[in-house]
Amino acid sequence: MLSLISNSFRSDASTRLESDHRMPASESEIDVSDLSIVFDGAHGQVIAVDRVSFTARRGEFVCLLGPSGCGKSTLLNAIAGFEQPYAGTILVSGKRITGPGPDRGMVFQQPHLFPWKSVRSNIAHGPRMNGKTRAEARAIADDLIAMVGLSRFANAYPHTLSGGMQQRVSIARALANQPRVLLMDEPFGALDAQTRAIMQDSLLKLWSRISATIIFVTHDIDEAILLADRVLVMSAGPGRILSDITVGLPRPRTLELTLDTRFLALKRECFALIKEQSARAFDAAESRS
């Protein structure tokens, strides 16, 4: 499989992505304060996210880790502007979130590409919707196609691509509007183990070349530690932040790091928290049945 990152970043166009380098991770990019999200259920209101607070610095990679049903995706959707808070606030770059916006790109577990559009047209769609000319949108798309290693497939259609390649297109499309924040909801969860490992490595290489802050949802402990600067471990529902773990492992990171004693110590810490919460969620489900 082609590497996600090409050896050269082609473009002299004025519409070239502005972020060949990482921005210093010092300024706060995301501020979540006392956030609660409540849904109406068949037997009354259900608290999905309960009084969650955290910040993410500019250019930081943060993973939300927790058992199924803990509110990880709901929290991510709220940052994206898809869910409205019951209480609390979300700020991105100091501005309160009231709905979706081009400052935030979203990557889902499934690629959700337009099947009637080519790879280039899928990626160019966002810039065109935001007022870029056809030539400008094409230049942006071609830059990203090169970055994700799909130059040979620029004119291909989604059904002709493998799952991993489709997800690369999805990531490129999310970056096409040059978002300050990239939100990723288990984007590699549907991939086989080998492709998943390749995509994790490729994402780290891509992240080293862009300025976006990444919030990444996963239930995979190894994935969270390998990718993140910080891992926020969430409780079983209602979702709360149980622990904010600084990974602190050197970069660049490769899969060999998973055998490092420091990695394994972090894994044990996360596993103990997740095991306890998964057992609590199971017991709660049993008591309701």
Side-chain angles (χ1 to χ4, degrees):
M1 180 174 291
L2 294 171
S3 172
L4 180 59
I5 304 300
S6 61
N7 292 328
S8 61
F9 182 22
R10 181 209 58 78
S11 181
D12 295 320
S14 61
T15 51
R16 173 180 177 166
L17 262 70
E18 298 168 352
S19 48
D20 293 71
H21 57 280
R22 296 290 311 285
M23 297 171 67
S26 56
E27 301 177 31
S28 177
E29 189 74 86
I30 300 171
D31 291 278
V32 178
S33 180
D34 290 323
L35 181 72
S36 294
I37 299 174
V38 177
F39 297 121
D40 291 325
H43 303 288
Q45 292 186 320
V46 177
I47 302 173
V49 175
D50 187 21
R51 294 165 293 174
V52 164
S53 296
F54 73 92
T55 63
R57 297 186 302 274
R58 184 171 299 175
E60 192 172 29
F61 199 129
V62 177
C63 275
L64 299 176
L65 175 68
S68 296
C70 74
K72 303 184 298 294
S73 294
T74 301
L75 176 54
L76 196 76
N77 286 336
I79 299 172
F82 300 147
E83 299 287 355
Q84 292 300 311
Y86 177 82
T89 58
I90 305 170
L91 303 180
V92 173
S93 305
K95 297 179 180 178
R96 187 165 183 162
I97 296 303
T98 58
D103 58 335
R104 283 149 289 141
M106 188 80 175
V107 181
F108 300 93
Q109 183 170 341
Q110 299 296 331
H112 297 299
L113 302 175
F114 298 123
W116 62 90
K117 289 180 177 285
S118 67
V119 167
R120 179 181 285 116
S121 295
N122 263 282
I123 297 170
H125 179 78
R128 287 287 287 156
M129 292 299 98
N130 280 328
K132 298 291 186 183
T133 67
R134 190 178 301 276
E136 288 172 335
R138 182 185 176 104
I140 291 170
D142 285 347
D143 280 341
L144 284 163
I145 289 168
M147 285 182 71
V148 300
L150 290 175
S151 294
R152 289 174 48 210
F153 301 92
N155 296 314
Y157 287 85
H159 73 276
T160 67
L161 305 177
S162 69
M165 294 167 76
Q166 288 183 30
Q167 199 61 294
R168 283 190 259 169
V169 178
S170 179
I171 293 170
R173 185 175 64 177
L175 291 172
N177 287 324
Q178 302 180 32
R180 300 179 69 93
V181 173
L182 184 62
L183 305 170
M184 309 187 77
D185 191 2
E186 300 195 60
F188 310 143
L191 303 177
D192 64 82
Q194 183 178 3
T195 304
R196 183 184 184 114
I198 292 170
M199 292 297 292
Q200 289 167 349
D201 181 63
S202 298
L203 176 61
L204 288 175
K205 291 176 181 176
L206 177 61
W207 176 63
S208 73
R209 300 185 64 176
I210 65 175
S211 60
T213 302
I214 296 181
I215 308 294
F216 187 106
V217 165
T218 183
H219 60 264
D220 186 295
I221 296 173
D222 282 19
E223 182 171 67
I225 299 170
L226 180 67
L227 297 177
D229 295 315
R230 289 162 53 215
V231 177
L232 305 183
V233 182
M234 295 187 67
S235 68
R240 304 183 181 97
I241 302 295
L242 282 181
S243 185
D244 184 341
I245 300 172
T246 299
V247 175
L249 296 173
R251 295 188 185 275
R253 297 179 190 165
T254 63
L255 285 176
E256 286 73 19
L257 187 64
T258 60
L259 303 177
D260 189 286
T261 55
R262 295 167 296 177
F263 185 100
L264 296 174
L266 288 165
K267 182 174 181 177
R268 283 192 293 270
E269 181 180 357
C270 291
F271 179 76
L273 291 166
I274 297 297
K275 181 180 179 182
E276 178 185 355
Q277 292 305 307
S278 296
R280 187 166 74 84
F282 180 80
D283 290 342
E286 285 288 294
S287 66
R288 290 193 297 265
S289 61

